[in-house]
Amino acid sequence: MSDGKSGLQLRSLLKKNGELELSLVNVPTPEPGPDEVVVRVEGAPINPSDLGLLIGPADMTNAKVSGTRDLPVVTARVPEAAMGALAARLDESMPVGNEGAGVVIRTGSSDAAKALMGRTVAMIGGAMYAQYRTLRVNECLPLPADTTPAEGASCFVNPLTALGMTETMRREGHKALVHTAAASNLGQMLNRICLKDGIGLVNIVRSKEQADILHRIGARHIVDSSAPGFMDDLTAALVDTGATIAFDAIGGGRLAGQILVAMETAINKTAKVYSRYGSNTHKQVYIYGSLDTHAIELPRGFGMAWGVGGWLLFPFLMKVGPETGNKLRQRVVAELKTTFASHYTKVVSLQEALQLDNIAIYGKRSTGEKFLIDPNKAM
């Protein structure tokens, strides 16, 4: 086994000519500073946020593989219309992977760093699709002794996003919430949080199969946007829960507007006085994903007390401050194998992550097809 002085790292390079190149490069592992550690990475999930950097809008249906078995190279084309939005990353080879987990194999001289020697830690800080990472101590979350790297690999992005949604709901004065693409790994976590904390949650899915996933974990309000009675079903769920804030992973199209209309309809069912300006109750939709990259359509049938904005985890954590952030992280650790358990359909090596048949599956961002990369897994 390598001593971790250097290791493979997955890189994504978008060239000015519109060619996307995915490759593995051998990079030196920086020696840890006093307050740093070196981690042997043994699990890093492929989240939708990672796919944005890894493959972005590239057309992977015509991708090609070259190179060798140990060092494959994948190339694909990015549509010319999408290149303008990607100007900042052109001709820059970029490491990928927001989060992961592994074992500390070397440490710096500080007491905090030394205390992590041999520990399994979850990590945030980028470049996680790599065999080794040198990180600051505060970018590591020590995990209980009986926790595997696979169990801890998704400690940050999905759990803290789900907790961030309920925290935002409380801070902005709402009592229940709506979530779209709700059968995802994140959506299942959010359901477990809301069931445990007694929060009303309306789950919007796009198929009966997705609804079945949520039924199995005890979700209470599930509406299918592909069903003929979607708006009536959504309105009824909003009347029942009183939800006036939504977190939308879809992004484009009609759904955000439909949610606002249904919220207004639900509120007006109990209104005592008619107002031509609509209800005074503020209705908020936060877009946090872009499964649909089309324009957001707002039909304007929801009065004047409303808002549509963007929501991302890291700006949220900066806004609430370190004390709240640490409290949320500690809850994740305490409930890692229950509320925040993640499930993966496949564990792949770095080389296997660049096989076209695997890219075709995880690149679809489909519910129930979550991959975990183990950079130190033998092929």
Side-chain angles (χ1 to χ4, degrees):
M1 184 176 283
S2 165
D3 62 1
K5 298 291 185 183
S6 67
L8 292 177
Q9 183 181 80
L10 197 160
R11 294 285 187 90
S12 176
L13 169 65
L14 178 57
K15 300 175 183 177
K16 284 180 181 170
N17 66 4
E19 181 182 78
L20 176 75
E21 179 183 282
L22 309 178
S23 64
L24 301 178
V25 296
N26 205 347
V27 296
T29 305
E31 280 299 310
D35 209 35
E36 293 181 327
V37 297
V38 176
V39 181
R40 183 178 67 244
V41 185
E42 296 180 13
I46 302 178
N47 292 317
S49 54
D50 299 307
L51 289 172
L53 177 59
L54 182 66
I55 59 178
D59 178 9
M60 302 307 291
T61 57
N62 296 308
K64 296 180 173 58
V65 180
S66 59
T68 65
R69 179 176 179 272
D70 292 332
L71 295 174
V73 177
V74 175
T75 54
R77 301 297 303 178
V78 170
E80 189 173 339
M83 290 293 288
L86 302 169
R89 63 164 294 187
L90 296 181
D91 288 336
E92 182 180 350
S93 179
M94 306 188 79
V96 190
N98 285 319
E99 64 179 335
V103 178
V104 176
I105 59 170
R106 288 202 305 283
T107 78
S109 57
S110 74
D111 290 342
K114 288 179 179 177
L116 294 179
M117 184 63 194
R119 292 285 302 271
T120 299
V121 297
M123 305 170 284
I124 195 79
M128 292 299 167
Y129 300 163
Q131 291 182 303
Y132 303 97
R133 280 289 277 119
T134 301
L135 295 150
R136 296 190 301 275
V137 168
N138 65 7
E139 293 173 317
C140 299
L141 185 63
L143 299 173
D146 63 345
T147 306
T148 66
E151 289 171 331
S154 293
C155 249
F156 284 96
V157 175
N158 281 350
L160 291 178
T161 298
L163 285 173
M165 290 174 180
T166 58
E167 184 71 16
T168 300
M169 177 203 76
R170 292 188 188 96
R171 286 173 176 245
E172 297 189 3
H174 305 272
K175 69 174 187 177
L177 68 158
V178 179
H179 186 224
T180 72
S184 64
N185 222 296
L186 172 82
Q188 293 177 52
M189 282 184 192
L190 183 60
N191 267 280
R192 292 193 289 266
I193 291 168
C194 290
L195 288 168
K196 188 180 179 72
D197 295 0
I199 297 169
L201 173 63
V202 178
N203 298 276
I204 298 178
V205 297
R206 292 182 285 181
S207 69
K208 181 183 180 301
E209 291 73 24
Q210 293 174 354
D212 290 343
I213 291 171
L214 293 176
H215 280 300
R216 285 195 291 271
I217 65 169
R220 291 175 183 157
H221 296 90
I222 306 167
V223 290
D224 183 349
S225 62
S226 68
F230 168 59
M231 287 300 287
D232 289 340
D233 295 342
L234 177 57
T235 302
L238 293 170
V239 169
D240 199 33
T241 59
T244 48
I245 184 171
F247 292 87
D248 178 25
I250 307 301
R254 301 168 57 206
L255 189 54
Q258 289 176 313
I259 292 169
L260 289 170
V261 168
M263 284 178 176
E264 180 73 359
T265 303
I267 291 163
N268 283 331
K269 282 185 180 294
T270 57
K272 301 289 190 292
V273 179
Y274 168 76
S275 168
R276 60 180 174 168
Y277 300 113
S279 71
N280 289 327
T281 303
H282 183 77
K283 302 160 293 291
Q284 179 70 42
V285 175
Y286 283 118
I287 309 293
Y288 80 97
S290 53
L291 295 175
D292 184 339
T293 56
H294 292 93
I296 300 169
E297 300 175 30
L298 299 177
R300 293 306 308 276
F302 37 80
M304 299 300 288
W306 59 275
V308 175
W311 190 98
L312 287 172
L313 172 60
F314 294 107
F316 161 77
L317 290 173
M318 290 176 65
K319 182 178 179 180
V320 299
E323 185 178 340
T324 297
N326 288 335
K327 192 182 298 181
L328 298 180
R329 287 183 176 91
Q330 290 312 310
R331 178 171 179 182
V332 174
V333 172
E335 301 175 34
L336 189 57
K337 297 190 182 187
T338 52
T339 308
F340 302 106
S342 286
H343 305 284
Y344 306 99
T345 50
K346 195 167 185 179
V347 179
V348 295
S349 66
L350 285 169
Q351 291 85 357
E352 289 166 339
L354 295 185
Q355 291 175 357
L356 294 185
D357 55 345
N358 285 328
I359 293 174
I361 297 170
Y362 68 68
K364 288 188 302 184
R365 300 167 167 86
S366 296
T367 297
E369 296 287 359
K370 194 171 180 68
F371 276 51
L372 183 74
I373 296 177
D374 179 351
N376 282 286
K377 175 182 182 282
M379 284 187 65

